[in-house]
Amino acid sequence: MLRYLSDSPLRARVTAATNKVEAFNGFSDWVRFGQNGTVAANDPVEQEKEGSSRPCWPTW
């Protein structure tokens, strides 16, 4: 903890990595917007159909 507090480059790397993860989580949430990201079927074929029917770009 003391190393983190005293090492500015380390804090910058941790912040950059955290921002990348948060950006990915935001994108992942956007991709799974249908049914709040829940999987409606336990059948892999149906899951594939459901996933492929979502747009890969914003629809606004």
Side-chain angles (χ1 to χ4, degrees):
M1 183 67 154
L2 292 176
R3 179 175 168 224
Y4 176 80
L5 293 174
S6 64
D7 190 350
S8 182
L10 175 62
R11 286 195 313 270
R13 286 193 310 267
V14 169
T15 300
T18 302
N19 288 342
K20 285 182 183 180
V21 170
E22 290 301 323
F24 175 79
N25 287 339
F27 173 74
S28 178
D29 287 344
W30 177 80
V31 168
R32 295 179 292 124
F33 70 92
Q35 300 170 1
N36 294 325
T38 59
V39 176
N42 198 20
D43 181 18
V45 174
E46 290 301 317
Q47 290 173 4
E48 184 69 27
K49 288 180 191 175
E50 182 180 318
S52 65
S53 66
R54 293 189 179 121
C56 293
W57 56 87
T59 57
W60 58 84

